Amino acid sequence: MDQELLLKASMLEKQINELGGNLEIVNQQLSELIQFQESIKSFQESNSKEMFSTIGKGVHLKTLLVEKEFLVEVGAKVLVKKTPEETIKVIEEQINRLNELKYSLSSQLDNHMFALNDLIKKIEKSQNKG
């Protein structure tokens, strides 16, 4: 009986660690999206015609702004022109989806933690009897 409980506890602990890792990734992505959204809002309010554009791997290029529309990748390398407002809406949708995922992961994590604590109590109870 103790071995079975210990095995269940071990499996729950593994799942808790996985959920915690996934939750950390979601939180990081949320943080990046929120920061990105703020950058677009600042860009939208700016009247400057010069800016630095990232071309990849920490390399930036000073550019002249011709228009304030973005080319947004919508999948399969397909680019669609979007205004800053439309782009912000896309980011808000992504933030909402990530918040839903975060809630789901947090709920699962809480349930697993409760189940693990329950198992630990059962293990301690059975050890005290023996």
Side-chain angles (χ1 to χ4, degrees):
M1 175 79 168
D2 281 351
Q3 287 294 74
E4 185 180 324
L5 290 176
L6 288 172
L7 182 60
K8 284 182 181 180
S10 176
M11 290 176 68
L12 272 173
E13 184 179 28
K14 181 181 176 190
Q15 291 173 343
I16 286 169
N17 289 335
E18 285 179 25
L19 286 169
N22 291 342
L23 194 55
E24 195 173 306
I25 291 167
V26 168
N27 282 328
Q28 177 66 33
Q29 289 176 342
L30 270 170
S31 176
E32 289 172 6
L33 279 174
I34 291 168
Q35 185 178 5
F36 180 46
Q37 185 179 37
E38 291 303 314
S39 294
I40 290 177
K41 286 178 181 176
S42 292
F43 167 80
Q44 186 179 17
E45 295 166 1
S46 173
N47 292 324
S48 177
K49 294 292 182 193
E50 290 184 349
M51 61 183 287
F52 286 97
S53 299
T54 302
I55 58 173
K57 297 289 183 183
V59 177
H60 306 272
L61 182 65
K62 191 173 187 177
T63 57
L64 290 175
L65 186 61
V66 176
E67 60 184 37
K68 281 197 168 189
E69 289 187 325
F70 299 103
L71 294 174
V72 178
E73 190 172 321
V74 294
K77 306 276 183 192
V78 175
L79 301 174
V80 175
K81 228 179 211 189
K82 295 212 180 258
T83 66
E85 294 85 4
E86 292 169 328
T87 306
I88 288 171
K89 282 185 181 180
V90 169
I91 295 169
E92 285 172 352
E93 291 169 4
Q94 292 173 345
I95 288 172
N96 289 337
R97 283 195 300 271
L98 281 176
N99 275 324
E100 289 172 8
L101 178 58
K102 178 181 174 179
Y103 176 78
S104 175
L105 288 172
S106 293
S107 179
Q108 290 177 44
L109 187 60
D110 289 344
N111 290 338
H112 282 58
M113 292 290 285
F114 181 78
L116 181 61
N117 286 334
D118 190 47
L119 275 176
I120 289 171
K121 287 177 187 175
K122 287 179 183 177
I123 292 168
E124 288 174 347
K125 193 174 187 179
S126 70
Q127 286 179 345
N128 289 338
K129 285 183 181 178

